[in-house]
Amino acid sequence: GENVEQHPSTLSVQEGDSAVIKCTYSDSASNYFPWYKQELGKGPQLIIDIRSNVGEKKDQRIAVTLNKTAKHFSLHITETQPEDSAVYFCAASLQAAGNKLTFGGGTRVLVKP
Amino acid sequence: DADVTQTPRNRITKTGKRIMLECSQTKGHDRMYWYRQDPGLGLQLIYYSFDVKDINKGEISDGYSVSRQAQAKFSLSLESAIPNQTALYFCATSNNIMAGELFFGEGSRLTVL
């Protein structure tokens, strides 16, 4: 089955700096890669996703890149703000399998004012 | 009101007790899921259901059972709780046949003593 590894497990950045979270996956058939943000006391919420037919996707201050050859994908947050402090999860799945996602272990991001 | 509601939000119980966690949704989605979250392990899929008559095991179904009482209701049961089932449990829904956004509830924190 699929295995997703996520690094780092914790990340502390100064407000205004960039944050990068990296994930690797094992199953070369996976073709859907979402990122979820979990705020304290809440359930995870989708912030961005990418499918294997594109290499990069942006949405305001967040972007995701995908390297299918190397089987890794990354989340980039620019101009970090205190409200970006949360736990972030990457995941991978096969699109045709619906939402049987395999999640990474999570990254706790702290943005220091 | 939340679109995906989980009850109870917190529960402390003893080893050997039967526990039911309930999930109801007002999103009108056919697909419902139960995930377990442990620190550093991300979210792991316990069971999922693509419609009322469909129940499927996820990656960690041992020790758990589910019931899909209606399109809007999906319950998770621990027949005889054990301490290593102490975790945060999330219900989620989606309306995508292919992989797409999951909508999570706010979680049920279960402690088994």
Side-chain angles (χ1 to χ4, degrees), chain A residues 32 36 38 41-46 49 51 87 89 93-106, chain B residues 9 31 33 35 37 40-45 48 50 59 88 90 94 96-102 104-106:
Chain A
Y32 174 67
Y36 282 81
Q38 184 180 21
K42 303 284 187 182
Q45 190 168 16
L46 180 71
D49 58 12
R51 300 176 195 268
V87 179
F89 293 98
S93 77
L94 185 63
Q95 286 194 82
N99 277 310
K100 288 170 60 181
L101 297 173
T102 300
F103 283 86
Chain B
R9 294 292 312 279
R31 298 174 168 231
Y33 309 77
Y35 280 91
Q37 184 178 14
L41 294 180
L43 294 104
Q44 296 173 281
L45 183 61
Y48 61 102
F50 286 169
E59 48 189 314
L88 185 56
F90 286 100
S94 78
N96 292 291
I97 295 174
M98 304 289 278
E101 184 170 4
L102 282 172
F104 284 87
E106 295 198 323

Side-chain angles (χ1 to χ4, degrees), chain A residues 19-63:
Chain A
V20 180
I21 304 169
K22 299 182 179 182
C23 290
T24 60
Y25 61 99
S26 61
D27 188 350
S28 57
S30 290
N31 54 11
Y32 174 67
F33 307 93
W35 287 87
Y36 282 81
K37 175 183 181 182
Q38 184 180 21
E39 297 178 346
L40 197 62
K42 303 284 187 182
Q45 190 168 16
L46 180 71
I47 54 171
I48 195 168
D49 58 12
I50 191 168
R51 300 176 195 268
S52 61
N53 57 342
V54 296
E56 183 175 2
K57 183 176 179 181
K58 286 184 178 181
D59 183 2
Q60 300 183 327
R61 295 186 297 107
I62 60 173

